Amino acid sequence: MSSSVVPSNRVVVTGMGALTPVGNSVDEFWKNLKGGVSGIGRVTRFDPSRFTSQIVGEVKGFDPTRYIEKKEARRMDLVQQYSVACAQEAFDQSGLSSDSLDPERAGAVVGSGIGGIETFEKQHANFLNQGPGRVSPFFIPMMIIDLCAGLISIRFNLKGPNYATVSACASGAHAIADGFKIIQRGEADVMITGGSEATITPTALAGFCSARALSTRNHEPQKASRPFDKERDGFIMGEGAGILVLENLEHARRRGAEVLAEVVGVGQTADAYHITAPAPGGEGAISAMRLALQDAGLDPDSVDYVNSHGTSTELNDANETRAIKAVFGERAKEIPVNSTKSMIGHLLGAGGAVELIATIKSIQEGILHPTVNYEFPDPECDLDYVPNQTRKVDVNVAISNSFGFGGHNICIAVRRVVP
């Protein structure tokens, strides 16, 4: 729930880093989003022929040694490599240095829904095939989720708050919300926050297939992720990371940093309904959006754009549409609502962070990326989903939604920085 105390510290974004199925940097990611480029394809890391869903959004051409010393990289799971690489990009953009950073006033919160599952699979196979003596001494630190934040703190000498958030597909957004509140409360000047996920593994894919959550449009991978479209048949599992540098506005101004956007409010709720299905009517999502606007001191009429959770599943898309209508009333049909997942798939615990980056780029450039594959209107999904074409829109205030298995709901409100 949002705080009843009005904090005095304003929080801004001064750096961003991204690894996604359509680009290994923020610039490449954003360029391809604007171009309507899909990153969905057949699994390449293992033979998917036995799986009902054989298509994913893989990060392509990632070389961890560009960011991490080779020996050190071998002791990290891919999820940790992704988080460190993105943190380096974000840190570099922020212009922070040891001279401009008080280690005691800086921290890291990074979320992941699943963590080091590739390491778990490999080490479990070692245990079964060769016995306990063949399990790596790095098994536990490579697997556990908190090491994404821990490794970032070690790399940049951050001695303030440091931990992980785990709330399924809301994990990255919850990490950003925590970083935001920590700075608002005056407990830190700088927080490196976001989410990371690396779940393109046989066991993870099998689990989602068994849950019947994934699209089986294997013959048309680039058309499989189709949020809000009547022919949607499930989400596409993706991977990657998004990391943001959040900073006290006065701290950023004192050091002459470029400010990318301001985080102004968060709303966090639970459906308390079902382990995977959203509450009917979008009850929890409605509350999350309203709380985010309340926390920001904003009226619903001030919102120019919604970056949706938009998973391409029947229940989520219809419920999110109902929730947006409940929050914005008659004006709902005038507000553009797009889905980044239409091109990158669902990055699970990293999704909220990567999608907030896209939201901030929209504020910066006044451009909304399309929701691709929107071909057949669904009577239950009747908003303006920015179908198939990039659009120029002056965006001053935007919200980004993230919802996770377990009924976790979070909405983050951001705006163009004003004096």
Side-chain angles (χ1 to χ4, degrees), residues 69-300:
E69 192 274 326
K70 188 173 182 179
K71 181 178 179 181
E72 185 182 2
R74 286 200 303 267
R75 296 174 177 177
M76 295 183 190
D77 185 88
L78 191 58
V79 70
Q80 297 163 354
Q81 294 175 359
Y82 285 171
S83 62
V84 170
C86 287
Q88 187 66 61
E89 182 185 6
F91 194 84
D92 289 346
Q93 184 185 25
S94 75
L96 285 165
S97 66
S98 57
D99 294 332
S100 60
L101 190 65
D102 178 355
E104 308 294 335
R105 300 277 304 166
V109 183
V110 179
S112 182
I114 296 177
I117 190 168
E118 182 179 49
T119 291
F120 182 88
E121 288 186 17
K122 289 180 178 178
Q123 296 305 318
H124 185 245
N126 288 349
F127 173 75
L128 292 179
N129 296 328
Q130 302 177 62
R134 300 302 299 173
V135 172
S136 168
F138 296 100
F139 170 41
I140 299 302
M142 289 174 69
M143 179 186 68
I144 53 180
I145 291 173
D146 67 294
L147 256 293
C148 290
L151 288 164
I152 289 170
S153 75
I154 293 167
R155 187 180 188 90
F156 299 109
N157 192 32
L158 313 177
K159 297 184 177 180
N162 183 263
Y163 57 94
T165 52
V166 184
S167 50
C169 306
S171 300
H174 273 129
I176 294 165
D178 279 10
F180 165 63
K181 289 298 181 182
I182 286 167
I183 295 174
Q184 269 199 334
R185 294 193 299 263
E187 297 170 15
D189 298 320
V190 175
M191 293 295 297
I192 297 180
T193 66
S196 185
E197 206 76 87
T199 53
I200 310 300
T201 71
T203 303
L205 184 61
F208 281 115
C209 284
S210 294
R212 298 183 180 179
L214 302 180
S215 169
T216 57
R217 194 184 287 255
N218 298 317
H219 62 293
E220 290 183 308
Q222 295 191 341
K223 290 190 173 184
S225 186
R226 41 198 318 115
F228 306 107
D229 183 87
K230 187 173 177 59
E231 295 195 356
R232 63 192 184 276
D233 71 328
F235 75 83
I236 299 294
M237 189 165 66
E239 64 169 358
I243 300 290
L244 297 87
V245 174
L246 303 185
E247 193 167 351
N248 180 303
L249 176 60
E250 293 307 314
H251 185 274
R253 283 176 171 166
R254 281 197 302 270
R255 64 183 190 85
E258 178 187 3
V259 173
L260 309 179
E262 181 174 6
V263 182
V264 289
V266 298
Q268 305 174 71
T269 67
D271 285 346
Y273 172 71
H274 189 270
I275 58 172
T276 57
E283 175 188 345
I286 293 167
S287 296
M289 285 186 274
R290 286 177 173 164
L291 284 171
L293 294 175
Q294 176 187 318
D295 191 39
L298 294 171
D299 187 274

Side-chain angles (χ1 to χ4, degrees), residues 31 47 53 58 80 83 106 269 273 279-280 307 357 365 391 400:
K31 176 184 176 182
D47 179 6
S53 180
E58 294 178 329
Q80 297 163 354
S83 62
T269 67
Y273 172 71
N307 183 288
I357 290 171
E365 296 190 9
R391 184 184 303 173
S400 180

Side-chain angles (χ1 to χ4, degrees), residues 30 34 361-363 365-369 390-393:
W30 182 237
K34 290 188 293 184
K361 294 300 292 185
S362 293
I363 291 173
E365 296 190 9
I367 293 175
L368 303 183
H369 71 69
T390 298
R391 184 184 303 173
K392 291 185 177 181
V393 175

